Every structure is written in structure tokens, then in C-alpha cells.
Amino acid sequence: MAVQSTTAESLVEEVFLFGRTLKRAVTTGVEDSPLPQALTGVLSILATEGECRQTDLASRLCVSQSALSRQIADLVDLGYIDRHPDPDDRRASRVCVSDVGQVRLKQIWDRRARRLAEMLSGWSESEALDALDSIRKLNDTFTEDAHAQHQDVVRIESIAR
């Protein structure tokens, strides 16, 4: 049976609320974050994706090239990201997380995991794993849809050329 529209509406509201609440929960109540949230997000996605072109990273993050360029410049200045020319297109550049950036990111994630573990101290392992399964399923569904939409845009752009 398909999900009813009222359920989907409630899920949208809860997912957005959950995102804001989680962000606040894991970044509040601990010592000052070593990086602004936006830069941490860029560093995290880049660590997950691996070395890539800045244009691909901007697409993955759903941000403009100019916004990402400023964030990349800040992360390069901090030594957390290495940037070098793309061998396939010298006008473009490729970025990757530096060794120093990997260390900083691990510190951030460890601190967030400790904070979340404290907050979930009243949960059983089974409850936490059930929540993890549900979140992964949502994430996979949303990622598949975003990928399909991106492929549609790429097809339209190639036809327009």
C-alpha cells in the first residue's frame, strides 16, 4: 500500500525538524566547535566522496559555485583541504581532504558521537539500530531521487548544447 499524502506531509515536517534539532543537539553543549558548521559539512562530504572537482562537490552539496569557492578557500587556508589542477581540464581544480583535515574531522565526529551517545543513554541498542535503519532507508530513497533528478538535468543540458 502506498504512503498516504497526510503521512508524507507529516514525514516532511518531521525530517526537517529532525535535521535542525540534530544539528543543534550535537553542536550544543560541547566545547566550541573547531570549525563553523558550513565548513564542517563541506569537509565531511568531501571526506565521504573522496577527491573530486569543485563543480561536482557543489552539485553534491546543493550550493552555488561561488559559495563553495569561498568555503574551499577557507578550508585550504586552514590546511584542511588540498587543491590542485584537474589533469583533464587545467581550468578546473580538484580538491581532497588533507591529512590535517582528516584529523580535525575525526575530532569533530568523535565529539559529536560522544554527545549523541549521552543523549541516547536511555535507549536500548535495539532502538538505536531500528532508528539507524529507518534513517538509512530514508537517506537512500532521497539520494536515489536526487541522483535521478541530477541525471535528468544533465540530459537536458546535453540536449541544449
Side-chain angles (χ1 to χ4, degrees), residues 117 120-133:
L120 297 177
S121 64
W123 288 41
S124 70
E125 181 69 8
S126 177
E127 289 171 321
L129 289 171
D130 286 347
L132 180 59
D133 285 343

Side-chain angles (χ1 to χ4, degrees), residues 11-155:
L11 189 55
V12 167
E13 290 175 25
E14 289 299 323
V15 166
F16 277 105
L17 179 60
F18 175 73
R20 288 191 302 269
T21 303
L22 177 64
K23 181 176 156 183
R24 185 175 52 249
V26 298
T27 59
T28 303
V30 294
E31 61 274 16
D32 290 332
S33 176
L35 269 182
Q37 187 62 33
L39 296 184
T40 300
V42 171
L43 198 58
S44 296
I45 294 296
L46 186 56
T48 301
E49 296 290 316
E51 180 179 275
C52 63
R53 293 176 81 174
Q54 283 187 222
T55 54
D56 296 335
L57 185 58
S59 175
R60 173 71 169 88
L61 289 165
C62 299
V63 298
S64 70
Q65 273 290 104
S66 61
L68 181 63
S69 290
R70 290 187 298 274
Q71 293 169 331
I72 293 291
D74 290 345
L75 289 165
V76 167
D77 289 346
L78 290 166
Y80 296 157
I81 285 182
D82 293 327
R83 178 173 38 198
H84 58 274
D86 187 326
D88 297 328
D89 181 354
R90 293 286 184 197
R91 296 168 298 165
S93 63
R94 297 184 66 81
V95 292
C96 63
V97 178
S98 69
D99 291 341
V100 173
Q102 293 285 358
V103 169
R104 176 59 72 204
L105 193 55
K106 180 164 179 12
Q107 292 169 341
I108 292 167
W109 281 110
D110 287 349
R111 187 169 32 182
R112 288 179 176 183
R114 283 192 308 272
R115 172 76 173 134
L116 192 57
E118 290 169 11
M119 295 176 69
L120 297 177
S121 64
W123 288 41
S124 70
E125 181 69 8
S126 177
E127 289 171 321
L129 289 171
D130 286 347
L132 180 59
D133 285 343
S134 293
I135 291 169
R136 282 183 175 153
K137 186 173 181 176
L138 276 171
N139 193 39
D140 289 347
T141 299
F142 296 164
T143 300
E144 289 169 9
D145 183 69
H147 180 70
Q149 287 182 21
H150 177 72
Q151 293 302 328
D152 289 344
V153 169
V154 169
R155 267 193 298 279

